[in-house]
Amino acid sequence: MDLWQLKIFCKVVELKSFSRAGKIVNLSQPTVSSHIKDLEDHFGCRLIDRLSKEAVATKAGELLYGYALKILAS
């Protein structure tokens, strides 16, 4: 896990989209998905529910999002 992955994760949560987050951080959608998968593997749980039209944070994802915002702000 690194700060770059946390930034990408926050963008996915905020925009509810892997592809829109990728455009903001200048990465392809598959690369964004790979970073989120790495975070999920690191924490051992699902962080994003991939619904039909949007990506929504799970309870664990919401918790991580709050901490990630604090970490990235410092």
Side-chain angles (χ1 to χ4, degrees), residues 20 31 33 35-36 40 61 74:
R20 283 183 283 188
T31 302
S33 294
H35 283 298
I36 299 302
E40 290 176 333
S74 61

Side-chain angles (χ1 to χ4, degrees), residues 4 10 13 16 18-19 22 24 27-28 30 33 35-41 47 52-54 65 69 71 73:
W4 180 238
C10 287
V13 171
K16 298 182 191 259
F18 285 79
S19 57
I24 296 293
L27 295 173
S28 68
S33 294
H35 283 298
I36 299 302
K37 171 104 173 64
D38 289 346
L39 278 176
E40 290 176 333
D41 290 345
L47 298 171
S52 60
K53 291 288 183 180
E54 64 182 13
Y65 178 71
L69 289 178
I71 291 168

Side-chain angles (χ1 to χ4, degrees), residues 19-70:
S19 57
R20 283 183 283 188
K23 287 178 185 175
I24 296 293
V25 296
N26 295 314
L27 295 173
S28 68
Q29 180 273 326
T31 302
V32 170
S33 294
S34 176
H35 283 298
I36 299 302
K37 171 104 173 64
D38 289 346
L39 278 176
E40 290 176 333
D41 290 345
H42 176 81
F43 288 107
C45 63
R46 199 112 169 109
L47 298 171
I48 301 285
D49 278 332
R50 292 129 173 106
L51 304 175
S52 60
K53 291 288 183 180
E54 64 182 13
V56 178
T58 62
K59 292 286 185 189
E62 290 174 11
L63 185 63
L64 177 61
Y65 178 71
Y67 284 115
L69 289 178
K70 291 176 185 175

Side-chain angles (χ1 to χ4, degrees), residues 2-12 14 25 68 72:
D2 60 32
L3 294 178
W4 180 238
Q5 288 176 325
L6 287 179
K7 181 177 179 174
I8 294 166
F9 170 75
C10 287
K11 289 298 175 194
V12 170
E14 291 163 4
V25 296
L72 294 171

